Amino acid sequence: MAGEIPDLHVQERTGTGKGAARAVRREHMVPGIVFGGDVDPLPVKIPFNVLLKKLKDGRFKSTLFNLKVDGHDDVRVICRDVQRDIVKDLPTHFDLMRLRRNTKINLFIPVEFVGEEDAPGIRRGGVLTVIRGEIELIVTAGEIPEKVTVDLSALDIGDTVTISQVDLPAGTKPTIDRDFVICNVSAPSALQAEEDEDEAEADEVPTVGEEEGGEEAAEGTEE
C-alpha cells in the first residue's frame, strides 16, 4: 500500500439545491456531494481555505482519501470533479466518489531511485536527471503500491531509463501508452564543453587532400 492514506475531513450538510449551496458558501464553506458505492448520495461541505490549499498543493483529483464524516463510517473516496467560478476561478462545488476495493483508479505513484552510488556513469561524474518523480498508473483501490523502484546501478553516461525497462508493481499499468523517459545520465557540463570544443576543432582542420587541392586550384588560377 502507498503509505498511509490521507484523511479528508468534511461535514454533513442539510438541504440541496442552489439556495442551500449559496447558504453554505456564505459560511465560507464549499458544498459537495459524495456518491457511488450503492449508497445514497451524501451532501457535505468543507472549509473554503482547506479545499483551496489542497487544490494548490496539487494532485487533489488523483489522490485517494479516507473520508471522515461525523456520524458515518470512514470510506475511501477520490475526487471526480471540482466546479469553479468562471470569473474568479475559485472552487464552488466538489464531487467525491466512493470506491470499492476492486475499483480501478488513476493515481500518481512516487518513484524511488536505487543503486545511484554504483552507477558507472554517475561515478565518472555524470549527472542524473529525473524526468518523472511520479508515474501515473492505473491501480486497484485495495492494492495501491507504495512506490515504483528504478535501478540505476548499470547506467553509464548517455543512458536513459524508460517505462518499458521498469518492473511495475503487480496489477498496475501506465496511463500513457508510449514508452516515456523516466530519467537519464548526462555528461557533466565541463566534459560536455570539452567534447564540443574537440568536435569543433576537428571540423576546422583540413585534410591532406583538401590542402593539396587548394594549392593546385591556386596555381591554375595564376596561369
Side-chain angles (χ1 to χ4, degrees):
M1 296 294 292
E4 184 177 353
I5 298 174
D7 290 336
L8 180 64
H9 294 267
V10 301
Q11 304 171 27
E12 185 175 5
R13 63 184 172 94
T14 58
T16 57
K18 294 183 179 180
R22 283 195 293 267
V24 169
R25 297 186 189 103
R26 285 195 294 268
E27 301 171 356
H28 302 290
M29 308 280 282
V30 180
I33 193 76
V34 184
F35 64 93
D38 297 329
V39 182
D40 291 338
L42 176 67
V44 295
K45 58 184 178 182
I46 190 172
F48 174 84
N49 290 336
V50 172
L51 179 58
L52 187 61
K53 182 179 184 305
K54 290 185 179 295
L55 291 172
K56 289 182 176 180
D57 288 343
R59 309 300 189 202
F60 182 71
K61 294 180 67 174
S62 59
T63 299
L64 184 68
F65 291 104
N66 179 49
L67 186 68
K68 303 185 78 68
V69 187
D70 288 344
H72 296 268
D73 294 335
D74 292 0
V75 62
R76 290 179 179 178
V77 298
I78 192 169
C79 179
R80 275 299 174 238
D81 194 21
V82 177
Q83 291 88 48
R84 296 174 177 268
D85 183 276
I86 59 175
V87 177
K88 300 179 180 179
D89 196 35
L90 297 175
T92 59
H93 192 278
F94 63 100
D95 300 334
L96 302 176
M97 184 176 72
R98 302 182 185 96
L99 297 176
R100 297 177 178 175
R101 291 187 61 83
N102 61 351
T103 303
K104 295 289 187 179
I105 55 174
N106 297 357
L107 287 180
F108 283 89
I109 305 299
V111 178
E112 179 185 48
F113 298 94
V114 300
E116 183 173 351
E117 64 281 0
D118 298 322
I122 296 176
R123 296 181 69 175
R124 292 198 298 124
V127 179
L128 174 66
T129 300
V130 175
I131 309 300
R132 294 177 184 266
E134 296 178 313
I135 301 175
E136 189 177 20
L137 299 177
I138 301 173
V139 303
T140 304
E143 299 178 357
I144 299 173
E146 180 179 353
K147 60 191 175 184
V148 172
T149 301
V150 173
D151 186 3
L152 307 174
S153 60
L155 295 189
D156 207 339
I157 291 176
D159 288 346
T160 63
V161 177
T162 63
I163 189 64
S164 64
Q165 299 170 278
V166 177
D167 292 329
L168 295 176
T172 70
K173 68 176 183 178
T175 59
I176 301 175
D177 292 333
R178 61 183 172 81
D179 192 22
F180 56 85
V181 175
I182 297 174
C183 66
N184 61 54
V185 176
S186 58
S189 56
L191 178 59
Q192 186 62 51
E194 291 178 3
E195 292 178 350
D196 292 342
E197 290 177 1
D198 291 342
E199 291 178 0
E201 291 176 0
D203 291 339
E204 293 173 0
V205 176
T207 63
V208 175
E210 288 175 342
E211 291 177 347
E212 292 177 351
E215 292 176 356
E216 292 175 356
E219 292 176 357
T221 302
E222 292 176 357
E223 293 177 357

